[in-house]
Amino acid sequence: MNKIIYLLLLLPFSAQALLDDKIPVDVKAYTVVVDERLGLSIYMGDAQIVQGDLTINAETIQIFSRNQAITKVIAIGTKKNPAHYKQNQPNQPRFIEAKAQKIIYFIDKKLVRLKGGAHLIQGFDSFSGGVLNYDINKDKIIATKSKDGTQRVKFKIKL
């Protein structure tokens, strides 16, 4: 049985943390591929990233970096086992939780894009659709149907 690899991202190109460079980023995966020249790390097999109250889980997680700072994280799941994102937001009564077949976290823009069976819970409200964009700074959600129109936008708001 493969042993899970526990890593603290101390690689030169990954020295900057996702949100707070004072908090270490812990990574778990079965397989790790690091290409410092490309600024890309790929974590495969029940991968997980944890930094403080941020958690991202997926079958595969790709971390992109430039100039020793992480710029983007892509978490790839499946229809049966989607990628998962969870983070505490100071202006929300509960954690923001999201799942989708693909989650793209643009670090500089503080934007989380969910694609394929996207579902997001914000406070006591929930949103789903083909694609969801969550702007962390503006606390704004934009939901759209899937390209083929099979996944329409749905939401439930508790007032």
Side-chain angles (χ1 to χ4, degrees), residues 72-99:
K72 178 171 60 173
V73 175
I74 299 177
I76 303 167
T78 62
K79 201 172 202 174
K80 197 178 227 182
N81 189 19
H84 184 260
Y85 162 93
K86 180 179 177 181
Q87 186 171 27
N88 185 34
Q89 295 297 322
N91 54 346
Q92 293 296 326
R94 297 171 48 192
F95 280 87
I96 299 294
E97 289 195 64
K99 65 181 180 178

Side-chain angles (χ1 to χ4, degrees), residues 6-77:
Y6 293 88
L7 294 175
L8 177 63
L9 288 179
L10 296 175
L11 302 170
F13 71 88
S14 300
Q16 293 294 322
L18 297 176
L19 299 175
D20 184 348
D21 60 7
K22 293 172 185 67
I23 300 173
V25 178
D26 293 312
V27 180
K28 296 177 187 176
Y30 285 107
T31 305
V32 178
V33 177
V34 177
D35 188 332
E36 290 187 43
R37 187 178 49 81
L38 292 177
L40 173 63
S41 299
I42 303 170
Y43 305 90
M44 298 170 282
D46 197 21
Q48 180 183 58
I49 294 176
V50 177
Q51 184 194 34
D53 59 18
L54 168 68
T55 303
I56 300 173
N57 295 298
E59 185 56 35
T60 301
I61 298 175
Q62 302 170 338
I63 298 178
F64 296 83
S65 61
R66 183 179 39 227
N67 301 326
Q68 297 188 357
I70 296 173
T71 57
K72 178 171 60 173
V73 175
I74 299 177
I76 303 167

Side-chain angles (χ1 to χ4, degrees), residues 143-159:
T144 58
K145 67 178 182 169
S146 61
K147 285 185 181 181
D148 63 5
T150 58
Q151 295 175 354
R152 296 180 60 202
V153 174
K154 299 177 191 172
F155 62 95
K156 180 171 41 175
I157 298 175
K158 183 177 179 182
L159 301 175

Side-chain angles (χ1 to χ4, degrees), residues 81-136:
N81 189 19
H84 184 260
Y85 162 93
K86 180 179 177 181
Q87 186 171 27
N88 185 34
Q89 295 297 322
N91 54 346
Q92 293 296 326
R94 297 171 48 192
F95 280 87
I96 299 294
E97 289 195 64
K99 65 181 180 178
Q101 290 174 17
K102 182 185 257 186
I103 298 174
I104 306 167
Y105 190 169
F106 299 95
I107 305 301
D108 293 344
K109 296 177 184 177
K110 299 246 170 59
L111 176 74
V112 178
R113 177 168 295 143
L114 311 167
K115 292 181 168 186
H119 184 77
L120 183 133
I121 298 172
Q122 178 190 42
F124 297 100
D125 305 331
S126 65
F127 305 84
S128 63
V131 178
L132 293 174
N133 288 307
Y134 174 56
D135 185 324
I136 296 169

